[in-house]
């Protein structure tokens, strides 16, 4: 009976926890999901050795406002820039290139500017909108998420949007 009650409590804990976390999916799954139900894609491009990436995971991506907004407006992807996996994007296979110490898809999405963490925003057709490099706090990230998530970028320059107050 003791074991059974632990299992039940563990299950409830997981359900409650998952509502408070970003629903990360693979890049391939995000592309597939977006084909069926179009939504923008947010990609956190990171590496295993990046301290700022870990700090962002531990703080920014745990913020309830970021979690809620991200889950509502984006398919969220964590992509290890150094993955050895072959990734198919736009009918092309991207592989790890030892000379660059990264996967070609990361180099493509980051326009060769290999800094981590970098957030890449893709539109509903999975075409790149832009890449935003660097560690961001939740308060710094939220206005950017809204700028792309609500298509403000289509009608206003970032500086104009920012100067209007973006809370």
């Amino acid at each position: 009976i003791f074991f059974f009650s632990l299992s039940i409590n563990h299950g409830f804990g997981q359900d409650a926890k998952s509502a408070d976390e970003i629903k990360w999916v693979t890049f391939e799954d995000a592309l597939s999901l977006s084909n069926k139900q179009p939504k923008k894609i947010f990609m956190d491009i990171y590496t295993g050795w990046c301290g700022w990436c870990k700090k962002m995971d531990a703080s920014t991506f745990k913020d309830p406002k970021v979690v809620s907004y991200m889950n509502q407006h984006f398919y969220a992807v964590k992509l290890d820039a150094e993955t050895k996996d072959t990734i198919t994007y736009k009918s092309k296979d991207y592989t790890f290139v030892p000379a660059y110490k990264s996967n070609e898809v990361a180099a493509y999405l980051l326009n060769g500017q290999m800094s981590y963490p970098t957030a890449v925003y893709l539109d509903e057709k999975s075409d790149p909108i832009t890449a935003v490099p660097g560690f961001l706090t939740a308060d710094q990230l939220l206005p950017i998420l809204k700028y792309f998530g609500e298509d403000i970028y289509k009608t206003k320059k970032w500086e104009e949007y920012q100067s209007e107050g973006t809370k």
Side-chain angles (χ1 to χ4, degrees):
I1 293 172
F2 182 71
F3 179 77
F4 181 72
S5 66
L6 272 180
S7 296
I8 290 174
N9 288 338
H10 181 71
F12 284 125
Q14 287 234 329
D15 290 343
K17 185 179 169 190
S18 65
D20 297 335
E21 291 183 349
I22 292 172
K23 295 179 187 98
W24 299 105
V25 297
T26 65
F27 189 25
E28 290 86 349
D29 286 348
L31 295 170
S32 176
L33 288 164
S34 195
N35 277 336
K36 293 175 194 143
Q37 185 177 352
K39 206 182 209 187
K40 289 181 184 67
I41 296 172
F42 171 92
M43 294 183 69
D44 172 35
I45 300 185
Y46 71 97
T47 63
W49 49 262
C50 167
W52 287 109
C53 301
K54 292 174 180 152
K55 184 171 172 57
M56 219 163 150
D57 284 342
S59 59
T60 308
F61 293 142
K62 300 284 187 215
D63 183 276
K65 290 179 189 167
V66 170
V67 170
S68 175
Y69 195 88
M70 187 81 74
N71 288 340
Q72 186 177 355
H73 294 276
F74 295 91
Y75 294 116
V77 173
K78 291 189 85 44
L79 180 72
D80 181 350
E82 297 175 338
T83 184
K84 306 263 192 302
D85 297 340
T86 297
I87 298 174
T88 303
Y89 171 60
K90 299 283 186 184
S91 303
K92 182 178 188 298
D93 288 340
Y94 293 87
T95 58
F96 181 80
V97 178
Y100 303 140
K101 297 181 182 158
S102 71
N103 191 294
E104 295 168 305
V105 77
Y108 171 74
L109 292 169
L110 298 179
N111 297 313
Q113 303 297 309
M114 310 306 284
S115 68
Y116 313 106
T118 293
V120 173
Y121 296 85
L122 305 178
D123 67 16
E124 293 83 352
K125 293 180 181 163
S126 305
D127 292 325
I129 301 170
T130 195
V132 179
F135 170 85
L136 297 170
T137 65
D139 287 342
Q140 292 170 319
L141 180 60
L142 274 166
I144 300 169
L145 289 175
K146 290 178 182 177
Y147 182 68
F148 294 111
E150 296 171 23
D151 290 335
I152 298 166
Y153 75 99
K154 292 180 177 179
T155 58
K156 288 185 184 171
K157 292 197 179 302
W158 170 249
E159 296 76 16
E160 181 185 355
Y161 169 68
Q162 219 178 6
S163 70
E164 292 173 356
T166 55
K167 291 286 176 193

